[in-house]
Amino acid sequence: MMSTVAATETTLTKKRHLLDLQDWSAEEILALFDTSDVMAQVMQRTIKKVPALQGFTVGTLFFENSTRTRLSFERAARAQSADVISFAAGGSSMSKGESLKDTLKTIDAMQSDLYVVRHAVAGVPYQLAKWTDAIIVNAGDGRRAHPTQALLDAYTFSREFNGFDGFKGKKLAIIGDVLHSRVARSNMTLWSKLGAEVSLCGPSTVLPKELEFAGVAISDNIFEAVEGAHAVMTLRLQKERMQAGLLPSIAEYQTRYQLSEAVMRLAHPEALIMHPGPINRDVEIAGVLADSERSVIEKQVANGVPVRMAVLYTLLVGKK
Amino acid sequence: MRTVIKNARLLDSEADYGLNDLYLKDGLIEGYNLGGEVTEGDDAAGKTVTPAFIDLHTHLREPGQEVKEDLCSGLSAAAAGGFGTVISMANTNPTVDEPGLVADLIAKAKAVGQARLKPAAALSHGLKGELLTDFAALKTAGAVMITDDGIPVADSHLMRRACEYAAPLGLIIQTHSEEPSLRQNGVMNEGMVSQRLGLPGNPSSAEAIMIYRDCELALMTGARVHIAHISSRRGMQVVEWFKEQGAPVTAEVTPQHLTLTDEALAGFDPIFKVAPPLRTQEDVDYLRDALKRGVVDNIGTDHAPHTQAEKEQDLVAAPFGIANIELAFALLYTELVKTGELSLVDLLKLLQSGPARIMNWPTPKLKPGQVADLVVLELEQSYPVEAANFKSKAKFSPWDGQKLTGWPVATFIGGKQVFQRDS
Ligand SMILES: [Zn+2]
């Protein structure tokens, strides 16, 4: 009896999730980037498939629709020969008499080893992690976190920035609706953890009032934020923000916060332009910049698969 | 029927009568150390006997939401928590907005024979915030308080008319003061923690603004306005400011807002989702300080049971509320009295004479001739919270497993014992 309990406890403490990057060390993240390099090579081959995850089942559990992210994860799982089960769950299921826990328990009966979870409300991946023995990967929860997006952003920067020599001394500027952005939140967590300086910029109505992070600056002035930046990331402007009274108009936003060539002139000469997509051309970013040589927007999408392959591999098989 | 409780320390919010044998007869307190024949007797050596508590803020969920709680489970839970009288909130299904519903509740509660029930009635039909209910008819049927609790009254004009209409009837208006357009869809306190957790926040300004409006209307109309479950420093400061100017307002705080902070949400457990939300340590400290300064008139539990399944949803979908009536006294005694922050008598005031004064009811005392609604407390022993054994249908708790001191071990209603703690 005693030994069973002890064994369960060990597996529990050993089990690793990707709920938020706060629980991952800089070393683990850099190791994950190395694994991503290996995965990227796999994706260059004629036959883009390895048997690394053969016998494992990955369930994608998307309570909020996101075809891009789901396909990227499913590709990452299948390229490693894992079986994939996709669940498209509606919003709140209590109307059908089922709690979130009930929904998970039903799906859990199909025995996935790992769930990729997307939900419109922050914290759901944490709640699910309490109710299942499977590993949970957060694919975006509310405005809280989108760790794999941040990982692929930082990975892309580290592999694309000319003469990259580490994150120390680098500056990332994030421009837009920072408050409602899980991408911004995860990126500020990750880049500051890796030693970079992060500067958040947007209209004051959509900026956090206070932050618990060291090394993160908040400004409503885009020139100040972009000055000397090695990477400039603009966020998609959701049109609902205008209706919610958070922003006056698109025109005013374009004037004050659009990433333009004039603004980019203040950045580091080698600075890269990033965007988590999908872009509103000529709203948050000038179209010419999105298409320019400094833009790595398409690289970000392409790197989504190898980085997610590395995440699945690291969590299911562990680093060797 | 004649009962004796022997060797008990007798204490109410006005006096400590020391060790005595307390005699109860025909539902009333007969006197001390009288001797003579009794039908029942109990030895309460080492225990304290005090008037049963009064809760001005209980959600009993009947009619219509019996899956969460009903009169039998809720009033039994109240008695187990040492409460002799509770005011039930009207946010049921249907809402308690008709005199017949009030009369029904009173009749059913009598049959249950646990804690006494005094129903509150809705301020507006269906809690829709549009049309006033028939205050006078509701009062005649037995309603003692008018409130849309659960839903803030957004329309200031409606609130003004409610106050004006209630004032000459001597009815108390209780308010759930949160400005809806400012609290929006917030599920927790807006601040550093909501920012970190990425959850939509509800700023304490939403509470302070609405408390200001409700106090201002009390001052304007002369109506008795009772501000329920004040959660923030800013909200409490507004009430204090109006009290200094003689506004006829009273202030309530809850056990949860006195003991928990927004950090409790860090594990994303909707069990801690409550309205108004748990605030910061600074707010908790301020509310505790307000208790000490005597600015708070009562502690109401805001016992708000839900099913476990409802709380096993995401934080937006899960309903607001914490079920706590069975452990409220032990929690308050452990957190406030044992720590030396508040005297036992001051805590009793907030649960006995305080709520009675708000309602214009006689002060509960251990005097011969008074109704024998009593609670026997074990103030020396600590036991863990066992939510699975709650009388309430909500058999889970933020404090489950936590060791608390000061549990009620027996409760008498009208001289009849209705609760006995299993040892
Ligand atoms: Zn309320």
Side-chain angles (χ1 to χ4, degrees):
Chain A
M1 198 60 201
M2 289 288 282
S3 60
T4 328
V5 173
T8 321
E9 275 171 7
T10 332
T11 32
L12 271 180
T13 46
K14 262 189 168 170
K15 195 175 65 177
R16 209 56 216 282
H17 303 285
L18 180 56
L19 301 174
D20 192 337
L21 292 162
Q22 267 143 0
D23 332 318
W24 284 54
S25 71
E27 292 69 38
E28 287 173 304
I29 289 158
L30 294 175
L32 193 106
F33 288 173
D34 292 340
T35 312
S36 303
D37 285 337
V38 178
M39 300 305 181
Q41 282 162 25
V42 171
M43 297 314 283
Q44 302 293 322
R45 296 183 197 161
T46 327
I47 295 170
K48 299 175 175 56
K49 197 159 190 168
V50 288
L53 297 184
Q54 201 153 37
F56 287 105
T57 303
V58 170
T60 54
L61 187 44
F62 277 55
F63 294 90
E64 181 185 69
N65 187 38
S66 170
T67 314
R68 282 169 163 241
T69 308
R70 185 173 54 78
L71 289 178
S72 177
F73 269 107
E74 292 182 0
R75 182 89 180 93
R78 290 204 175 96
Q80 297 178 87
S81 306
D83 290 324
V84 174
I85 314 180
S86 311
F87 304 94
S92 165
S93 46
M94 209 55 210
S95 46
K96 294 175 270 166
E98 201 178 52
S99 71
L100 182 64
K101 189 180 179 183
D102 294 330
T103 309
L104 177 73
K105 287 285 168 197
T106 311
I107 291 165
D108 223 15
M110 281 171 257
Q111 310 237 322
S112 295
D113 299 290
L114 180 151
Y115 292 108
V116 177
V117 179
R118 162 70 67 98
H119 200 289
V121 179
V124 166
Y126 285 77
Q127 292 176 276
L128 298 187
K130 280 185 284 184
W131 299 326
T132 175
D133 290 333
I135 294 164
I136 302 285
V137 173
N138 184 356
D141 62 329
R143 56 173 91 157
R144 175 179 171 78
H146 194 354
T148 58
Q149 178 70 43
L151 286 170
L152 71 89
D153 291 341
Y155 173 74
T156 303
F157 175 77
S158 69
R159 300 312 189 245
E160 299 297 327
F161 187 79
N162 196 10
F164 178 77
D165 57 354
F167 284 88
K168 288 230 164 54
K170 300 294 186 300
K171 177 179 172 183
L172 165 70
I174 305 178
I175 320 290
D177 177 1
V178 173
L179 190 66
H180 298 94
S181 171
R182 53 189 167 218
V183 175
R185 189 183 307 273
S186 280
N187 267 299
M188 73 176 97
T189 310
L190 176 56
W191 292 61
S192 58
K193 178 172 293 224
L194 295 174
E197 198 186 309
V198 180
S199 171
L200 306 174
C201 174
S204 48
T205 46
V206 290
L207 278 181
K209 302 278 175 290
E210 42 189 355
L211 277 178
E212 292 164 310
F213 291 97
V216 179
I218 302 175
S219 163
D220 74 338
N221 182 323
I222 192 169
F223 297 102
E224 212 174 272
V226 170
E227 192 173 7
H230 301 82
V232 181
M233 182 182 293
T234 57
L235 302 170
R236 182 177 169 81
L237 183 71
Q238 308 282 351
K239 305 264 161 63
E240 307 95 81
R241 304 293 172 235
M242 254 72 72
Q243 278 127 35
L246 285 164
L247 300 169
S249 71
I250 293 204
E252 173 122 337
Y253 187 86
Q254 285 166 316
T255 311
R256 298 188 66 201
Y257 296 103
Q258 186 185 86
L259 189 63
S260 62
E261 287 181 293
V263 174
M264 274 310 284
R265 255 174 242 130
L266 293 170
H268 186 274
E270 302 276 352
L272 300 180
I273 293 169
M274 312 183 86
H275 193 296
I279 70 166
N280 285 313
R281 190 170 284 273
D282 293 317
V283 179
E284 67 263 6
I285 181 166
V288 285
L289 283 181
D291 303 331
S292 74
E293 273 181 5
R294 308 168 106 188
S295 160
V296 290
I297 297 173
E298 278 171 34
K299 280 274 179 209
Q300 289 172 269
V301 180
N303 283 336
V305 175
V307 169
R308 289 180 174 119
M309 284 172 80
V311 165
L312 297 179
Y313 179 81
T314 304
L315 288 172
L316 283 167
V317 184
K319 14 187 201 262
K320 290 277 145 67
Chain B
M1 178 144 150
R2 190 161 185 263
T3 309
V4 61
I5 305 172
K6 289 190 154 180
N7 303 313
R9 178 193 175 195
L10 304 185
L11 181 71
D12 62 28
S13 54
E14 292 185 346
D16 189 339
Y17 307 89
L19 288 182
N20 289 285
D21 295 346
L22 180 69
Y23 285 81
L24 317 177
K25 197 183 171 193
D26 302 329
L28 304 178
I29 294 172
E30 189 189 6
Y32 300 170
N33 310 319
L34 301 173
E37 288 291 304
V38 292
T39 18
E40 270 170 38
D42 237 334
D43 194 337
K47 291 165 189 149
T48 301
V49 174
T50 189
F53 312 132
I54 299 170
D55 187 11
L56 303 187
H57 200 147
T58 320
H59 294 271
L60 293 177
R61 307 302 188 201
E62 198 171 326
Q65 298 169 324
E66 289 84 357
V67 63
K68 299 172 194 263
E69 195 81 289
D70 59 27
L71 289 183
C72 183
S73 64
L75 292 171
S76 303
F83 290 87
T85 303
V86 303
I87 296 186
S88 57
M89 296 295 109
N91 62 338
T92 49
N93 184 22
T95 58
V96 182
D97 53 10
E98 294 284 343
L101 291 168
V102 174
D104 271 4
L105 286 175
I106 291 170
K108 276 192 186 170
K110 268 209 181 96
V112 167
Q114 288 284 330
R116 297 175 198 271
L117 176 69
K118 306 273 188 190
L123 183 149
S124 69
H125 279 281
L127 265 59
K128 291 202 180 88
E130 291 163 3
L131 295 169
L132 293 183
T133 54
D134 297 348
F135 290 6
L138 289 163
K139 187 187 177 189
T140 306
V144 297
M145 178 186 270
I146 296 293
T147 178
D148 271 2
D149 182 59
I151 300 177
V153 177
D155 185 334
S156 299
H157 179 257
L158 186 80
M159 186 56 103
R160 171 196 174 166
R161 298 306 180 203
C163 289
E164 283 174 339
Y165 197 77
L169 291 170
L171 269 170
I172 288 174
I173 304 253
Q174 184 243 51
T175 70
H176 180 133
S177 302
E178 290 188 284
E179 216 293 301
S181 68
L182 192 52
R183 83 167 177 173
Q184 292 201 316
N185 62 345
V187 302
M188 67 175 296
N189 179 55
E190 181 175 315
M192 193 85 97
V193 182
S194 69
Q195 165 60 30
R196 182 194 341 132
L197 300 181
L199 285 165
N202 168 358
S204 55
S205 301
E207 177 174 81
I209 286 171
M210 203 58 137
I211 290 179
Y212 184 95
R213 182 203 72 176
D214 293 335
C215 290
E216 182 68 31
L217 290 175
L219 198 58
M220 173 192 181
T221 62
R224 274 285 297 107
V225 170
H226 182 52
I227 312 289
H229 46 47
I230 299 162
S231 65
S232 65
R233 177 179 64 89
R234 294 297 297 156
M236 186 59 77
Q237 284 174 334
V238 174
V239 179
E240 286 174 60
W241 190 71
F242 273 97
K243 280 190 164 193
E244 281 163 22
Q245 295 165 69
V249 295
T250 44
E252 173 184 271
V253 295
T254 75
Q256 45 274 20
H257 294 113
L258 287 167
T259 57
L260 298 172
T261 68
D262 53 357
E263 287 285 357
L265 271 304
F268 297 100
D269 190 341
I271 202 170
F272 295 101
K273 182 180 170 185
V274 63
L278 302 174
R279 305 285 184 187
T280 65
Q281 189 61 50
E282 189 200 352
D283 293 294
V284 170
D285 292 344
Y286 194 87
L287 295 181
R288 288 184 174 205
D289 192 58
L291 286 185
K292 286 178 229 164
R293 289 184 286 114
V295 192
V296 176
D297 297 274
N298 78 308
I299 294 179
T301 66
D302 196 7
H303 174 75
H306 293 288
T307 69
Q308 183 133 22
E310 286 170 314
K311 286 290 197 180
E312 285 171 345
Q313 298 183 91
D314 66 72
L315 269 156
V316 169
F320 293 98
I322 291 176
N324 62 3
I325 201 161
E326 281 163 85
L327 57 74
F329 181 80
L331 179 68
L332 295 165
Y333 185 79
T334 306
E335 291 260 354
L336 299 175
V337 179
K338 273 198 78 184
T339 55
E341 279 195 68
L342 204 65
S343 71
L344 174 57
V345 168
D346 283 340
L347 176 57
L348 292 179
K349 281 182 184 161
L350 291 159
L351 294 163
Q352 297 170 346
S353 54
R357 193 172 318 116
I358 293 168
M359 297 309 296
N360 263 322
W361 295 341
T363 303
K365 288 182 217 163
L366 291 183
K367 286 268 167 66
Q370 292 256 336
V371 173
D373 288 3
L374 306 169
V375 55
V376 183
L377 300 167
E378 202 165 58
L379 297 177
E380 308 298 328
Q381 301 293 321
S382 306
Y383 304 104
V385 176
E386 289 177 17
N389 294 332
F390 278 172
K391 312 268 182 210
S392 169
K393 290 186 182 181
K395 299 190 192 301
F396 51 91
S397 166
W399 300 276
D400 199 13
Q402 198 170 310
K403 245 187 171 191
L404 300 178
T405 310
W407 291 93
V409 291
T411 305
F412 292 80
I413 304 292
K416 187 173 158 248
Q417 187 170 356
V418 299
F419 167 70
Q420 166 91 53
R421 185 185 162 92
D422 306 322
S423 42

